[in-house]
Amino acid sequence: MAFETWEDGLGETRPLGEREQLLNHLHARRGLITMQVLHVRGRLDPAQVRRALAWLQTQHPILRAHIRYGKIVWRPLPPFAYRRRWFDTEGTPEIPVRVVEDPDPDAWRKVLADDMHTPIRKGTRPRLRTTLVRQSPDAEINHIVICADHATLDAQSANMLARRLLEFLADPAVAQHDSSLHTALPPPIEAGLPSRPASGKKSGSREETTYTPAIRLPRQKIRGRKKETRVLERHLGPTSTATLADALKANRTTLHGAVTAAFLLAIRERYRLDVMTLLTTVDLRRLSTLALPPETYGCYVDILRTEHPITDDFWATARDVSFKLIATLAKDWESAAIMKFPDWEVYRHEVGPTLRNHRRLDGLAVTTAGESGLGTSYGPYTLEDVTRAVSLDMFGPSLFVIANERLGSLDLSVGYAATAMSDEEARWLTDNAVARLECQR
């Protein structure tokens, strides 16, 4: 079934914004493919998942949009040409649901790794696909693997998608009764951002902002490894999370600052580095002048680079991370943003070091997505856990940390490229950082 008519018998279309263009361009090259795995207890029929996703498509135009390619855009820098892209809702089929049955209880990890390495193909396909992984049709544990083009979903959207999907599975009648229909494609980030002076310039001045090159972790010798992104999962329980929250208030900093400080201090202990650049995913909804509905699916994030000294003082490092991020947002976040087609300054500083270091950018990236809104009990189903990741095997930081709060606990998903970092190294850094978070008072 194709969604051929939506509003007054007509499909809807709009051009992708600059960041959406870049994310879709990267997606086709296996870059920043976004993933979420819902680990659900309870016998689950694939037809139920298909009905839930089909209903969600009726609610959110971005889920029923495919990408249409237009004229060639030429630029003086690589990539020298790319196709102009448009979101189009007419003729988009339903979100596909594949079923994988495998007696291995960890089969979902292979599906996750394969999906992160496999872009959604071009054409009229929706920019989301799902796989239901189970050991048998009567299995009590099911894994719903969701793969998305980052141009259409960010962390907040992915959490909303998961929540509404599970609510529909719990009780379709209640979910549909409580729903609010979104009839128009959401606007791109750029449509509501405040106007800024030209990037790299201070208002009223010709002085240029100094470019901040990436600082990378020491290059590791990794031989014969498959190109894939691997994920480690760690959890802080309610007691440890509540203790950490009290410490954050006492030390006047944020959860993002603390999570980042923990990994920076682990990096300092391991590699003796006294300074590190950091990539932070920033939700731009709060900077937008658009009156977006509370549940607006789409991608409203940018990635900012900041530089931080690392000392043995955990809380001083955490405050430095928080302060510099806030100051960067207040001053001119566009000068620190990396989600844009690169200019000569980027190529001059980054191409050589990136190629020499297994296509690694900065040593660390951190996303703190806040409270996920996900519960545990959904009718006959129990959400046991959630795994989140983005693909890093094409390029990216050495470690990509995603932090979500759920039911008073803190969930961490730590991704890394198998060709750039050993499993032992990634595990040591992650466990060291988590231990630091658990011991803070």
Side-chain angles (χ1 to χ4, degrees), residues 60-331:
H60 298 281
I62 199 73
L63 296 180
R64 59 179 184 262
H66 62 273
I67 291 180
R68 171 170 54 88
Y69 290 80
K71 65 180 182 179
I72 295 176
V73 177
W74 299 95
R75 62 192 304 269
L77 309 172
F80 296 107
Y82 62 90
R83 300 288 295 276
R84 193 75 178 92
R85 295 159 170 85
W86 296 72
F87 281 130
D88 231 332
T89 61
E90 187 173 359
T92 307
E94 292 184 351
I95 295 170
V97 178
R98 182 171 65 110
V99 179
V100 172
E101 292 181 1
D102 192 316
D104 182 2
D106 287 329
W108 67 270
R109 295 187 181 277
K110 182 179 185 302
V111 173
L112 173 65
D114 289 345
D115 266 14
M116 274 194 288
H117 195 72
T118 308
I120 298 169
R121 288 184 292 169
K122 298 178 182 179
T124 59
R125 295 170 181 81
R127 306 311 297 166
L128 191 102
R129 65 168 179 252
T130 55
T131 305
L132 178 62
V133 185
R134 58 188 183 178
Q135 291 179 277
S136 71
D138 296 325
E140 277 295 315
I141 299 295
N142 297 270
H143 311 275
I144 304 174
V145 182
I146 302 169
C147 173
D149 185 333
H150 214 331
T152 62
L153 286 180
D154 54 23
Q156 182 171 329
S157 300
N159 283 330
M160 291 189 291
L161 172 73
R163 187 176 70 249
R164 299 301 281 161
L165 173 65
L166 292 167
E167 288 171 352
F168 187 95
L169 294 175
D171 192 327
V174 171
Q176 292 176 78
H177 177 74
D178 294 340
S179 66
S180 57
L181 185 65
H182 295 251
T183 58
L185 280 166
I189 296 174
E190 294 82 4
L193 292 178
S195 59
R196 296 278 189 177
S199 181
K201 305 279 187 181
K202 293 184 177 180
S203 181
S205 169
R206 294 186 178 181
E207 182 182 354
E208 294 191 5
T209 303
T210 303
Y211 179 79
T212 303
I215 298 176
R216 297 162 176 82
L217 300 187
R219 187 177 187 272
Q220 296 186 31
K221 292 183 179 179
I222 308 291
R223 302 181 186 279
R225 299 290 291 276
K226 182 180 179 181
K227 289 184 179 179
E228 66 177 20
T229 301
R230 298 181 180 177
V231 185
L232 298 173
E233 299 162 273
R234 298 293 185 268
H235 305 275
L236 270 69
T239 301
S240 296
T241 304
T243 301
L244 178 60
D246 290 339
L248 294 175
K249 293 177 183 177
N251 288 278
R252 303 184 309 282
T253 188
T254 63
L255 179 63
H256 178 77
V259 171
T260 303
F263 279 89
L264 287 177
L265 266 67
I267 287 170
R268 182 175 189 267
E269 181 178 342
R270 190 69 165 180
Y271 304 115
R272 305 302 179 205
L273 295 175
D274 295 323
V275 64
M276 174 61 60
T277 52
L278 166 70
L279 298 179
T280 297
T281 304
V282 177
D283 189 335
L284 297 180
R285 286 173 174 85
R286 56 200 173 103
L287 295 182
S288 177
T289 59
L290 297 170
L292 297 172
E295 288 203 348
T296 300
Y297 285 29
C299 188
Y300 289 89
V301 298
D302 210 331
I303 301 176
L304 306 188
R305 174 180 289 147
T306 51
E307 185 175 297
H308 304 276
I310 314 172
T311 69
D312 289 329
D313 190 328
F314 179 93
W315 292 114
T317 303
R319 284 191 293 270
D320 178 69
V321 169
S322 298
F323 174 78
K324 282 188 178 172
L325 180 59
I326 293 169
T328 299
L329 285 168
K331 182 182 177 183

